Amino acid sequence: MFALIEAAGWPIWFLIVASIVAVAIIGERLWSLRQSQVVPKDLLHRVVQEYRKNGVSEELIARLNRGPVLGRVFAAGLKNIRSSREIIKDSIEEAGRAATQELERFLTMLGSIAAVAPLLGLFGTVVGMIEIFGSQTPTGSNPIQLGHGISIALYNTAFGILVAVPSILFYRYFRAKVDAMVVEMELQAIKLVEVLMGERRA
């Protein structure tokens, strides 16, 4: 591994850092965007059952705030149960915007890495080309410097693509997943408001 880094030259370190950050973001988002952590399928049913049985309690709101992301949206609506429909809807929308921002955390950085990685690879290629031209002397070319320049150019180009492709694929996957979860949260929140207003049974 050290030999590969040595052959790729100092520009490879930018790509190594970018790859480490990308892997960390991908792992964190895979863990955080699990359905059980964001929009559990049976949460609305359980909340409605408890609301009809015991009403709105501080314990219920605290438990929802400690739970999945959708629970925090529900808690915002339940806290305003005695207010008008508009106030309940506004409080849910505010909580929903905060939840959406939480779901999108680090995605901008992952998309930036996907866009920048090929440019970093190109930068390494340019450095390698400079090394190649520098190997030319009046008496001929220095084969060691020529070979080192070629290896810098090729390794950085390849590694830039290697970092960019998974990053852009996971970025698009997470974007689609977040969009689907936001829509699901909106639908669940509308159902909760209708239940609280007595317009829906469950």
Side-chain angles (χ1 to χ4, degrees), residues 10 122-136 145-146 148-150 152-153:
W10 61 266
L122 181 60
F123 172 71
T125 303
V126 171
V127 171
M129 295 299 291
I130 293 171
E131 188 91 5
I132 291 170
F133 287 121
S135 68
Q136 304 298 319
Q145 192 175 356
L146 177 64
H148 185 57
I150 292 172
I152 290 175

Side-chain angles (χ1 to χ4, degrees), residues 27-99:
E28 191 276 338
R29 289 291 85 190
L30 284 172
W31 178 260
S32 298
L33 293 179
R34 292 171 297 155
Q35 185 169 6
S36 62
Q37 291 291 103
V38 183
V39 282
K41 290 183 178 180
D42 61 339
L43 183 61
L44 177 62
H45 179 68
R46 286 189 280 118
V47 169
V48 170
Q49 276 191 328
E50 187 162 347
Y51 167 71
R52 286 179 173 159
K53 185 177 179 182
N54 303 316
V56 179
S57 63
E58 291 295 326
E59 194 275 333
L60 171 61
I61 292 175
R63 188 160 16 100
L64 288 172
N65 279 322
R66 291 194 305 268
V69 177
L70 180 60
R72 298 197 283 277
V73 176
F74 285 172
L78 292 171
K79 276 192 274 190
N80 295 281
I81 185 65
R82 291 183 175 84
S83 303
S84 65
R85 180 190 178 99
E86 288 72 26
I87 292 176
I88 294 175
K89 186 179 177 182
D90 287 345
S91 63
I92 286 177
E93 286 178 353
E94 289 173 8
R97 283 193 291 271

Side-chain angles (χ1 to χ4, degrees), residues 105-146:
R105 187 173 52 184
F106 304 132
L107 291 189
T108 300
M109 186 179 293
L110 184 61
S112 298
I113 290 172
V116 167
L119 297 178
L120 292 175
L122 181 60
F123 172 71
T125 303
V126 171
V127 171
M129 295 299 291
I130 293 171
E131 188 91 5
I132 291 170
F133 287 121
S135 68
Q136 304 298 319
T137 65
T139 58
S141 61
N142 183 337
I144 296 175
Q145 192 175 356
L146 177 64

